[in-house]
Amino acid sequence: MDKRCVNSEEFVREITRLVVEALQEQQRLERSTPIGVSNRHIHLDRADMDALFGPGSELTVKKMLGQPGQYAAEETVTIRGPKGEMSRVRVLGPLRKETQVEISIADGFVLGVKPPVRESGQLEDSPGIEIIGPKGSVKKERGVIAALRHIHMTPEIARRLGYRDGQYVQTRIEGLRGALLCNVLVRVSEKYALEMHIDVEEANALGVKNGDRAFFVEEE
C-alpha cells in the first residue's frame, strides 16, 4: 500500500476525531451557564440615595455587570450592625424600589445580624442595618439578606432547557473542589443574560471564579 495513502487515512481519522470531540464539547457547553460571583453589596432606593449622597444625587458607573443594564457604581457605603461595621460596601445600580443589602453568612457574624437566605426582593422578616454615606445615614428596619443561588436566563434558553421561571434545578461544578448544587432558582426574563449567581463563600468553597461554568443536571 502506498505510504502516502496510509498517512492520508490517519490524517482523516485524526481530523474526524477532533471534529467529533469539538461537537461533543459544544453540546456540553450548551447545557451550562457562566458563573458570576457576588461579593457583599447594596441596592439603594431613591430616598436612601438622597439621604446618603445628597438630594438628587446619581450613581456613577464604575463597571458594567453580566446582566444587561446592571452595574457596579463608584459609590460605596459603610454598613453597621449591633456588633461591628463594614466599610466600602459597593453600591450596585440602577436604583431600586426598596433598599436591599446582600451579605454573606460570615459577614453576618461580623455585623451581628442573621441574614436569611432569600430570593432578591423577598425582604419580609429580614434584619435591619444602619447605612452610612458621605452626606448622612439611614437606619433600616429590614433589608439584609444572603442571596439565594440563582440562574438568570432568557425565555428562549429556558424553553431549550425545559425550565420555567421559579423552578429549582441542580447544577454541577467540575474541578478539584467540584460539587452538585441543589436548590438553584431559575429566573426567566427577556431582560436577562444567561448567568448563575453564587456568593463569595460558595465560590471559595467550590474553587470557582467569575466566568467559570456550571453544568445543568438532568433530573429524572
Side-chain angles (χ1 to χ4, degrees):
M1 181 180 292
D2 192 326
K3 193 172 183 179
R4 288 173 300 180
C5 292
V6 174
N7 289 339
S8 296
E9 289 175 1
E10 291 176 350
F11 178 75
V12 170
R13 282 197 296 269
E14 180 63 16
I15 293 298
T16 302
R17 182 184 67 82
L18 293 174
V19 169
V20 170
E21 288 181 354
L23 290 173
Q24 289 174 338
E25 180 62 15
Q26 180 60 36
Q27 290 175 344
R28 208 170 73 93
L29 290 176
E30 287 177 355
R31 292 197 60 82
S32 72
T33 173
I35 296 171
V37 180
S38 181
N39 205 343
R40 71 181 73 96
H41 61 271
I42 184 170
H43 302 274
L44 296 175
D45 61 22
R46 180 71 259 176
D48 289 342
M49 182 73 189
D50 289 345
L52 298 169
F53 293 96
S57 56
E58 297 294 340
L59 293 174
T60 306
V61 177
K62 176 181 176 68
K63 178 184 177 183
M64 298 305 296
L65 301 177
Q67 294 307 303
Q70 304 294 306
Y71 59 90
E74 294 283 357
E75 289 75 15
T76 63
V77 297
T78 295
I79 54 176
R80 179 180 294 160
K83 288 179 60 178
E85 66 180 38
M86 292 182 163
S87 60
R88 301 192 61 78
V89 176
R90 185 71 55 189
V91 180
L92 299 191
L95 298 179
R96 291 194 176 183
K97 293 181 179 180
E98 184 173 1
T99 292
Q100 176 174 294
V101 182
E102 297 183 36
I103 62 173
S104 70
I105 300 299
D107 289 342
F109 296 146
V110 174
L111 295 166
V113 298
K114 294 182 178 180
V117 179
R118 295 276 183 82
E119 179 183 357
S120 180
Q122 293 186 350
L123 306 181
E124 298 81 7
D125 300 318
S126 60
I129 198 100
E130 182 179 5
I131 308 169
I132 304 164
K135 298 294 185 180
S137 64
V138 292
K139 290 186 177 181
K140 307 301 293 184
E141 296 298 320
R142 70 176 197 173
V144 180
I145 64 170
L148 177 69
R149 61 176 76 112
H150 58 276
I151 305 169
H152 295 278
M153 63 179 65
T154 63
E156 180 183 358
I157 293 173
R159 283 192 296 270
R160 174 169 61 80
L161 294 170
Y163 293 159
R164 64 183 185 279
D165 185 53
Q167 181 179 355
Y168 288 87
V169 300
Q170 296 182 353
T171 61
R172 185 182 73 257
I173 305 295
E174 298 182 341
L176 184 61
R177 305 184 75 181
L180 184 69
L181 296 184
C182 302
N183 302 317
V184 185
L185 176 67
V186 174
R187 301 176 64 185
V188 180
S189 172
E190 291 283 3
K191 299 178 181 179
Y192 292 155
L194 181 62
E195 189 176 42
M196 183 175 82
H197 288 171
I198 59 176
D199 72 20
V200 68
E201 287 181 333
E202 293 172 310
N204 288 340
L206 297 165
V208 299
K209 61 185 183 303
N210 283 320
D212 288 346
R213 301 194 78 85
F215 295 85
F216 299 111
V217 176
E218 294 187 28
E219 301 180 47
E220 297 180 358

